[in-house]
């Protein structure tokens, strides 16, 4: 599995994404703020990238498929949170500006299981419509 590093420059901030073994690493850079802000086109780019990387992992013959055990916390229909190791990732919809807000507390580098990534993609698709 060839590793590639992707750097998405967003409406506010940027995301660095790559594969590490059978996880997807996500690093957020807020650029003088407390969150990354994704415009609808940024969100679509992120969905396509995460889907492609997830598919590469899923189709790897050495990847061991396992049940999804991570817990998603939903505060309301527009705020979603995950506990990932000692960190927390949150995604929320800023309806007034039609943008999506990404935040994390804890480690700057998140190692996402494939099932978490699929769940994130599904939420991004719903929020982006």
């Amino acid at each position: 599995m060839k590793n590639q590093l992707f750097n998405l420059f967003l409406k506010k901030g940027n995301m660095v994404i790559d594969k590490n073994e059978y996880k997807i690493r996500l690093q957020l850079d807020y650029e003088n703020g407390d969150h990354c802000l994704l415009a609808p086109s940024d969100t679509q780019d992120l969905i396509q990238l995460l889907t492609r990387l997830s598919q590469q992992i899923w189709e790897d013959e050495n990847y061991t498929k396992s049940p999804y055990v991570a817990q998603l916390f939903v505060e309301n229909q527009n705020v979603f949170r995950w506990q990932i190791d000692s960190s927390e990732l949150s995604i929320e919809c800023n309806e007034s500006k039609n943008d999506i807000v990404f935040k994390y507390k804890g480690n700057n580098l998140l190692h996402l299981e494939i099932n978490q990534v699929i769940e994130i993609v599904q939420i991004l698709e719903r929020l982006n419509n």
Side-chain angles (χ1 to χ4, degrees), residues 80-98:
F80 305 88
R81 299 186 192 284
W82 293 264
Q83 292 292 116
I84 302 167
D85 300 323
S86 61
S87 301
E88 180 180 278
L89 173 67
S90 69
I91 299 173
E92 58 187 271
C93 183
N94 181 343
E95 290 181 354
S96 64
K97 296 183 179 182
N98 199 27

Side-chain angles (χ1 to χ4, degrees), residues 48 56-57 74 93 104 118 124 127:
Q48 290 174 358
Q56 289 173 6
I57 293 171
V74 180
C93 183
Y104 68 87
I118 298 303
L124 290 174
L127 293 176

Side-chain angles (χ1 to χ4, degrees), residues 5-10 13-18 27 29 49:
L5 185 67
F6 300 92
N7 196 352
L8 298 179
F9 294 94
L10 310 169
N14 70 315
M15 290 183 178
V16 178
I17 300 169
D18 72 337
Q27 185 173 5
D29 181 2
L49 176 59

Side-chain angles (χ1 to χ4, degrees), residues 47 115-127:
I47 288 168
N115 294 324
Q116 288 171 313
V117 175
I118 298 303
E119 189 169 52
I120 289 169
V121 166
Q122 291 170 339
I123 288 167
L124 290 174
E125 286 176 334
R126 186 177 77 79
L127 293 176

Side-chain angles (χ1 to χ4, degrees), residues 8 10-16 26-38 88-91 101-108 110:
L8 298 179
L10 310 169
K11 182 174 184 177
K12 179 176 182 255
N14 70 315
M15 290 183 178
V16 178
L26 173 68
Q27 185 173 5
L28 304 175
D29 181 2
Y30 296 152
E31 295 179 1
N32 302 321
D34 69 347
H35 63 277
C36 286
L37 195 61
L38 287 74
E88 180 180 278
L89 173 67
S90 69
I91 299 173
V101 177
F102 260 76
K103 293 183 189 179
Y104 68 87
K105 295 178 188 172
N107 294 329
N108 188 16
L110 300 171

